[in-house]
């Protein structure tokens, strides 16, 4: 199969649909991979890296879309990209169509078969292509929160871990799923006092089993949320 | 040297001045050890255990006091014991004379050389024979506190570790010395939310280094004590 | 729906069927909650707390039973309570009917629809309303055992965690289910040497994975139980 | 003694020389404390908080300097402050004179007795008033570094803790003192791969003892620094 | 049922099909157990141990095979053993027939009903009699590797845990199943720098959750394997 | 200064007195370093590595000894080496003279100034050049012991960490110094049940503080050693 990887063109999108090691796997299995020049530049991968992995690097997105049977991207296709898609092609990317009717229409008009990453479902009902996004989001949330709490950044001047003799900051995480537990791990790591609120007692039990005395688990009620949130330095909503 | 170990006679004192393994060390080093019958019964050691270790078991305290050059006990000598002490004897035991002028007088009258465990000082200024008492006291304090918090024992019905979904109990320990850190370890172990208050920031730093996010350290001020204590389920005074 | 919460009347029962935060959730969802005066007094909740959460506080149990469509309790209904139940009511509480034929008969005679907490089963076969009881029982067992081992309480004078230089106490837990692992956590926390015996190797494997070197796992045979139990300071039966 | 706490006037200095709980201690010991209005506003402490703690709040810095025997500040005195200092006064603050000859001269001219926080030395040679600054700096360094590594902030897009399947970022900390170990704790907490380089093997041994397999310790040579630094995502210089 | 336990006769096989505590369980349940003399000698169990557990010890393997309805062994039957098996017997042991056609033929000729340990499957698809072998193999692999890395044993002289100031050895484990994670635990325990490579991201996620920052997880690609393996001191193949 | 590094010639000695990174430091500080060819071959360092670091590589030991003011070695000088030493030279190496009178005499005869690594003492009384040897020895002891316990190596077939359902091996370490605690760390890491015996209660207290429930500490008496050692699978003597 001919697989194409165009450079992402959405503003502030630095990622790329496939890394060179992915190219190498596909080429090894007999596929052909066409990559737009500089597609990996945002993550520090050069055209030479892709070529070494077996890809053909081409100068223009048009060439990628023209030749490939399968297009692998990160972000939803922009209008200019939709115009290049064909009915006999498959597009594999995040779509988030609900929020973007204009894109949805262009995509339908293209006649392409589009598979949204966010809808790929594993046998056990999990969403394997969304989970890493939740992991990253959960971990980043605490990093962002710690930064925002610094006085110089307009925060209240609380250091999440405190220092000996000074109490640590209070982090309340609403939701004990993937994003929530990843946030909790970072907050624990920085030394904060962490509370996780969830509606599922079995989930709280699992969290209690993993983090023991390092996380306070609270069953979610209007009352517990009210108490915890009004007392918190940082609230992470991970529902 | 002849070393005598009488049975303790103070009410509710179950301990004994020397265990059989201690007897064995001394006998091996050429000393003679005389033990009153049933001296070790309170800790589950029989006369046979002492004899196997090399001691001579005698029927009466009088024989122990009459023959020994050194008397090894646990508790301060009772008046009946002071009457048996002689000027050419050495007594090694806890004395706590300050609290007991009658005993102090009897001891002085006996003319014996009494060395109080609680005053034995190591080169670095520590009190090696008091430290284990502080360790035991610190560890027991949480056990006693947990028991006292049970509703059936007249407490407020708080389980120190909570259960998943229910917040743990709050334990505040005033003083981060030996008793305090031993109490903290047990409280952490039971899953409580633990705060240690101390006037020494280096000590708080040390505690923070050991227990990391599991203990909140607070510098001792009237304000911090007031805040912590009024919010606590269990307060351990370990100063 | 009108939901009634009577004060528990069984001897030594301090709990209550619903806390104020539960009332608040139900009232928010459009239900009416009627609470008997002083129903929450045993857990430190006042009538004012219930009223603030949206409940109507009434003076007598009779009023609660007379008005409510659903009665939420903790303990099995006493005979005087059974007499107030009606066929068009639902009773939600722990029943434990097997042990109490008199109550069973009174309940049948009342014609009420009684749902026993202990029989509520989740999709995965777990018993969500029994699990927290096992958690509490497991955690309390070690607290009770530690207390009972104290010499002053008639025990053999063993401190579960020992102190440096003195070996810790040996705790053997038969059964690695919810009660057993909760007991294990507390025993580990107090510094004891802990062995869990179970007939399921996968369960032992899971326990080994969680507690690593802190728990010794033994496959349950007559031989292993005999060896472990005769060597233990504290045995917790959690089967 | 009359102790004065003026509001800090250096740009971007939000701190204050004394918190209300400090005032309370001093007033309790018989001292008088005079605080400039809004002195604590940057850390969320109101004049009312100070008054409740026993301070007298005055409207102008001039009044503080005029009345106090001891001035407690955070930052080095600005020229306008030096002009208010008197020979019979003591100033207690961070001075950092070496970097600021103009201030040094003004301070000398004032004739005041100035004690620099950064020079206060404990019996064991440690610097008790600098240590907390190193703790804060070390902890903040990782927070700042993690933020700077985000692509959106101009970094190379490395998440310090990685996610499962993606290797974590590499943090190299040069110097294993207070700032270095505090940085290491935060970096470990965020899941990074951490190396500490130091010239003292005993210090590396101590660090290895505390963080075990979570930190790689390297003896400092030109070679080891070169290797580690060129391979790192984040370098913290904490010498 | 009459159950027979012959002594293993394969070279270097020290194990035995049943330990005395297993005998005790079966005898208690009404079975009869016949054990060949010295069957347990390789694991330190004497004939007296088996007799005390209720077994009948016989002098020859022939007697065991002649009398038993069920033969319990460890290793595949040797030809001499196959000759003693009968059609009305059941044999329970590891078979590994694929690797040994001669044995397979002899077994078929014997007409016995042979159940291979390695094919016994639990309801959840796991292999309960193979899992412990994987656990042992995984744990031993690191022990063997550490030994082989010693210079005196022909290795490159790398101590897996390093010492303070000297970086630890790098262990790469390919496969995150039972053998792989057991190997990882030992490698972590010895202080090595551990990477696990697996094709399943959910498995890597689970491993990351358990070992946190102590294991680096890498998604398996040709590229990641190449990078990790060429940089490793010890590679464990646990696929 | 001219510093010489000859190749070690004692049987089974693979080490070298200085690694290339050490050469680089000395050359940077203005010294000259002369290294015998293949001196580093046993640790994987080539002549090119030494030359890149700034050393001069010479073909014969004679040239090293002839030119250098300071000789840096690992092992005690062999007779052939003693013959090359001069009164105006300094020798820096492990000597262990007490065990080797012949060497001692040759060394005295050479008139060289010999500084034994094992006698270099730090201000706090520690032996900085012996400590790493104790660390290595302690860590290796468990590796060697684990290997020796394997049945195939003539041991009793005990896996130190056991597996779930089978109790771990018992390791008793006599002496809680550097070698002892390093051995303990490895034994804990492999999952063994570890006991440390020492005559110093403060040391046991320190060990208890670090390893908590993972190590049993026993005060050293004839009795405790007898009990522990007779019950152990592996005894490490680290006194």
């Amino acid at each position: 199969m001919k697989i194409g990887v165009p450079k992402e063109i959405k503003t502030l999108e630095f990622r790329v649909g496939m890394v060179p090691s992915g190219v190498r796997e596909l080429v090894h299995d007999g596929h052909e991979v066409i990559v737009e020049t500089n597609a990996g530049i945002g993550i520090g991968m050069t055209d030479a890296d892709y070529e070494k992995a077996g890809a053909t690097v081409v100068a223009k997105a048009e060439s990628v879309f023209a030749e490939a049977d399968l297009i692998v991207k990160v972000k939803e296709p922009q209008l200019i990209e939709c115009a290049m898609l064909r009915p006999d092609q498959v597009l594999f990317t995040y779509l988030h169509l609900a929020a973007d009717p204009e894109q949805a229409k262009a995509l339908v008009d293209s006649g392409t078969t589009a598979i949204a990453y966010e809808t790929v479902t594993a046998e056990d009902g999990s969403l394997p292509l969304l989970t890493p996004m939740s992991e990253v989001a959960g971990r980043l949330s605490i990093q962002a929160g710690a930064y925002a709490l610094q006085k110089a950044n307009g925060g209240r001047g609380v250091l999440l871990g405190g220092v000996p003799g000074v109490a640590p900051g209070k982090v309340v995480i609403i939701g004990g799923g993937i994003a929530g537990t990843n946030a909790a791990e970072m907050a624990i790591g920085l030394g904060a006092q962490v509370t996780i609120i969830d509606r599922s007692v079995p989930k709280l039990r699992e969290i209690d089993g993993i983090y023991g005395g390092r996380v306070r688990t609270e069953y979610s009620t209007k009352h517990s949320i009210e108490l915890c949130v009004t007392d918190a330095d940082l609230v992470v909503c991970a529902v």
Side-chain angles (χ1 to χ4, degrees), chain A residues 1-4 32 34 64-71 86 88-91 112-113:
Chain A
M1 187 187 273
K2 282 197 185 174
I3 301 162
E32 195 177 326
I34 307 155
V64 175
F65 281 86
E67 291 187 36
D69 304 312
L70 168 67
I71 298 287
R86 301 187 313 267
D88 63 337
Q89 258 176 345
V90 174
L91 170 68
T112 201
T113 301

Side-chain angles (χ1 to χ4, degrees), chain A residues 5 38 42 62 73 76-77 81 102 119 126 157 159 164 180 192 209 211 227:
Chain A
V5 183
N38 288 331
E62 283 78 0
K73 276 177 50 59
E76 66 277 9
E81 291 174 319
E102 197 176 16
T119 61
S126 66
L159 186 60
Y211 303 109
L227 274 189

Side-chain angles (χ1 to χ4, degrees), chain A residues 61-206:
Chain A
E62 283 78 0
S63 316
V64 175
F65 281 86
E67 291 187 36
D69 304 312
L70 168 67
I71 298 287
V72 176
K73 276 177 50 59
V74 176
K75 278 292 188 184
E76 66 277 9
Q78 306 301 296
L79 289 183
I80 196 172
E81 291 174 319
C82 286
M84 292 186 279
L85 287 166
R86 301 187 313 267
D88 63 337
Q89 258 176 345
V90 174
L91 170 68
F92 200 31
T93 196
Y94 288 110
L95 284 177
H96 299 297
L97 290 171
D100 189 349
E102 197 176 16
Q103 178 215 166
K105 187 174 180 313
L107 203 54
V108 168
D109 290 349
S110 76
T112 201
T113 301
I115 302 170
Y117 289 160
E118 68 265 31
T119 61
V120 175
T121 309
E123 276 188 21
D124 64 356
S126 66
L127 301 162
L129 299 184
L130 265 192
T131 298
M133 297 302 107
S134 301
E135 291 173 332
V136 170
R139 294 183 180 207
L140 271 177
S141 70
I142 297 300
Q143 209 162 291
Y147 180 84
L149 278 167
Q150 290 177 224
K151 193 81 193 178
N153 304 328
R156 66 204 293 183
V158 168
L159 186 60
L160 280 188
V163 289
V166 174
K170 294 176 184 166
V171 175
V172 171
I173 299 168
I174 302 176
I178 290 169
T181 51
N182 274 275
E185 259 177 45
M186 295 303 111
I188 292 170
L190 290 178
Q193 189 173 326
V194 184
T195 302
I196 295 184
I197 302 177
D198 201 285
R199 293 206 75 101
S200 158
V201 171
K203 186 162 285 179
L204 293 178
R205 191 168 289 132
E206 195 189 329

